[in-house]
Amino acid sequence: MIYNQAIETMPLEQLRQLQDERLRTLVARLYRDVPFYQTRLQEVGLEPGDIRGIADLAKLPITTKEDLRQHYPFCMFAKPMGEVRRIHASSGTTGKPTVVGYTQNDLDLFDEVVARSLVAAGARPGMKLHNAYGYGLFTGGLGMHGGATRLGMAVIPVSGGMTDRQLMILQDFEPEVICCTPSYAQTLAAECKARGIDPAALKVRYGVLGAEPWTEAIRTEVEAGLHIQATNIYGLSEIIGPGVSQEDVDERGTGSYIWEDHFYPEILDRDTGEVLPYGEEGVLVFTTLTKEAFPLLRYRTNDICSLHYDPNGKRTHIKMASIRGRADDMLIIRGVNLFYTQVEEVIHEMDFLVPHYRLIVSKKDALDQVAVEVEVQPGIDPANKELQQRLSAKIKNTIGLSMQIELRPTGSIPGSQGGKLSRILDRR
């Protein structure tokens, strides 16, 4: 099943024509209605008529999170407040949060792309959705809720945390689909095992996991621990929320479809800002082609991935590879670029470990140091020096860095309680 057959399988040539038309309209509207963009375009000597389509996109300036913060809270809005029907904001872990707004048409768009995503993930009308994303200013809970309602699902708005209640509802309400962060899915799987709950006895069969980067190691653990098929949903508040892209349940591991009739992606070189060809890894950038209240030109997400078209896929839209990490989360340790997902991939290859871990970064004299705390499988002695040495050697040979290893007993590293889980503890 495909939710919107005409759009999701549109021939690429027609899709480009649609994108060209929508980009021209967007640039003209931003120039007219958002002083920030009028100034930015004038600074680089552009007028709306200079942009004829996607081929001209690289002429346009980049928008950053700092731009949004400097225009907090509503100065980037392209519609008057009388036309805004909802306001969300990012978590604001550093400084002021970024604030986003939605007209009614934006909310309809939000519902549409989430409904597309849910269908790709295996959901169908008439199923029940256990929604364990947080409700509130975070876009996850209400975003998934609206799309599931549009699809014709019965939404169980559990929200985040309170694991006892989550497990009770999974058993008693018998939802077929669950959405949450991948780290919280790990927590639920671990709790099922600890409490003797047979995941095969649950009715849940599909997991829609997002809001943080995750790897095949996490997928393997969650699928086995909850007896589900787990797919990645990607989004960010600034672009719309969840539903910017989605893996197809039958194409797991091949990338996530970006709904590029609404969100046009580019990959830029982290240092030069040059547009990179398909298949090369860099910083993901989006232009929102159809949003009304809070449209953005070439917004730099800081997520690191690559783009490609899949000739064997069900849909014609472009795919993004798994997020490798964030440019602002990349650690440079003794001259080596390090993403925590690289360590996770190594951990996945060691059969005596489970992928519950964190990296602790510190400084000794003038040098940065990284320690890895990781849990061992039940029944394994965490004081086993030979296992520590095996992991240390594997990391050194694979990543090129020496790291201190601390094996920990099962369940000893803090897990997710429903929100995003930080894998890096920086003590520098």
Side-chain angles (χ1 to χ4, degrees):
M1 177 178 172
I2 293 178
Y3 182 76
N4 190 331
Q5 186 82 28
I7 289 292
E8 295 177 53
T9 62
M10 178 178 286
L12 190 55
E13 182 179 350
Q14 293 181 31
L15 184 57
R16 285 287 179 269
Q17 292 173 356
L18 178 64
Q19 292 166 333
D20 288 345
E21 177 185 341
R22 288 178 169 179
L23 180 62
R24 291 193 296 269
T25 301
L26 171 68
V27 173
R29 192 162 59 85
L30 288 175
Y31 191 89
R32 183 190 68 222
D33 295 338
V34 182
F36 166 80
Y37 278 119
Q38 184 179 95
T39 300
R40 278 291 178 87
L41 291 174
Q42 290 173 346
E43 287 173 348
V44 296
L46 288 175
E47 294 185 353
D50 298 325
I51 305 301
R52 303 305 303 159
I54 294 300
D56 295 324
L57 194 60
K59 299 177 182 178
L60 294 166
I62 297 295
T63 308
T64 68
K65 185 179 283 286
E66 187 57 32
D67 293 327
L68 308 189
R69 287 179 175 142
Q70 288 179 2
H71 293 80
Y72 172 91
F74 307 128
C75 293
M76 294 283 283
F77 282 22
K79 290 290 185 181
M81 195 57 68
E83 296 184 39
V84 174
R85 295 295 175 265
R86 189 188 298 169
I87 295 171
H88 281 289
S90 69
S91 55
T93 52
T94 57
K96 295 283 190 179
T98 54
V99 180
V100 299
Y102 303 77
T103 64
Q104 185 57 56
N105 285 337
D106 292 333
L107 293 174
D108 291 342
L109 162 62
F110 202 176
D111 291 348
E112 156 83 17
V113 294
V114 170
R116 290 186 201 178
S117 299
L118 286 166
V119 168
R124 297 292 182 267
M127 289 184 176
K128 295 185 287 293
L129 176 71
H130 181 108
N131 189 358
Y133 283 120
Y135 283 68
L137 285 177
F138 171 59
T139 55
L142 284 170
M144 296 301 295
H145 190 123
T149 301
R150 168 72 67 87
L151 178 58
M153 303 181 74
V155 184
I156 307 168
V158 190
S159 196
M162 299 182 67
T163 300
D164 288 345
R165 182 182 62 179
Q166 303 269 0
L167 293 173
M168 178 188 72
I169 289 174
L170 283 171
Q171 293 175 92
D172 296 348
F173 290 18
E174 300 185 337
E176 294 92 344
V177 185
I178 183 171
C179 59
C180 61
T181 63
S183 56
Y184 193 57
Q186 285 181 286
T187 296
L188 291 173
E191 286 299 315
C192 282
K193 184 174 182 179
R195 301 174 192 218
I197 299 172
D198 178 9
L202 302 175
K203 296 296 184 182
V204 65
R205 289 295 175 263
Y206 302 103
V208 188
L209 312 182
E212 60 193 22
W214 53 299
T215 63
E216 290 301 316
I218 301 298
R219 193 200 307 271
T220 299
E221 179 188 356
V222 167
E223 289 193 338
L226 291 176
H227 200 67
I228 60 174
Q229 293 177 295
T231 55
N232 184 62
I233 189 168
Y234 171 84
L236 59 163
S237 299
E238 297 91 331
I239 302 305
I240 199 163
V244 174
S245 77
Q246 171 67 43
E247 268 188 306
D248 188 282
V249 68
D250 297 323
E251 303 173 23
R252 301 197 302 286
T254 66
S256 299
Y257 287 104
I258 296 172
W259 309 126
E260 59 170 314
D261 54 318
H262 297 294
F263 317 115
Y264 188 84
E266 302 171 271
I267 296 291
L268 305 188
D269 183 277
R270 276 179 289 191
D271 300 318
T272 68
E274 176 189 2
V275 179
L276 298 178
Y278 298 142
E280 292 197 20
E281 192 174 81
V283 178
L284 181 61
V285 168
F286 279 109
T287 295
T288 62
L289 295 174
T290 55
K291 281 177 63 184
E292 293 182 340
F294 191 72
L296 293 174
L297 286 177
R298 306 190 78 203
Y299 181 72
R300 182 184 172 106
T301 69
N302 272 339
D303 289 327
I304 303 296
C305 70
S306 62
L307 300 174
H308 65 280
Y309 283 99
D310 184 354
N312 299 314
K314 299 176 185 177
R315 299 165 180 83
T316 54
H317 290 221
I318 202 166
K319 285 183 174 181
M320 57 185 281
S322 298
I323 298 295
R324 186 167 175 81
R326 289 183 55 81
D328 44 5
D329 279 346
M330 184 183 76
L331 300 171
I332 303 177
I333 306 297
R334 301 188 292 280
V336 177
N337 295 346
L338 174 67
F339 292 103
Y340 67 79
T341 50
Q342 293 172 272
V343 177
E344 184 173 299
E345 289 167 357
V346 173
I347 289 171
H348 179 55
E349 297 177 6
M350 315 298 282
D351 59 7
F352 58 89
L353 300 175
V354 294
H356 297 170
Y357 69 96
R358 62 182 177 180
L359 307 186
I360 300 176
V361 187
S362 59
K363 188 179 287 290
K364 184 177 182 181
D365 298 325
L367 295 177
D368 291 330
Q369 309 284 335
V370 180
V372 182
E373 290 186 348
V374 58
E375 293 180 11
V376 295
Q377 294 282 359
I380 300 292
D381 180 8
N384 188 313
K385 297 297 183 184
E386 188 268 334
L387 297 182
Q388 292 180 11
Q389 291 169 0
R390 279 176 56 189
L391 177 57
S392 178
K394 183 71 172 177
I395 289 174
K396 174 67 174 176
N397 292 335
T398 304
I399 300 174
L401 285 171
S402 297
M403 300 185 190
Q404 180 182 341
I405 305 299
E406 183 175 349
L407 303 183
R408 301 282 298 273
T410 305
S412 60
I413 295 176
S416 171
Q417 295 304 310
K420 297 183 182 182
L421 179 63
S422 176
R423 297 288 190 184
I424 300 173
L425 180 59
D426 197 335
R427 291 176 172 167
R428 289 175 292 187

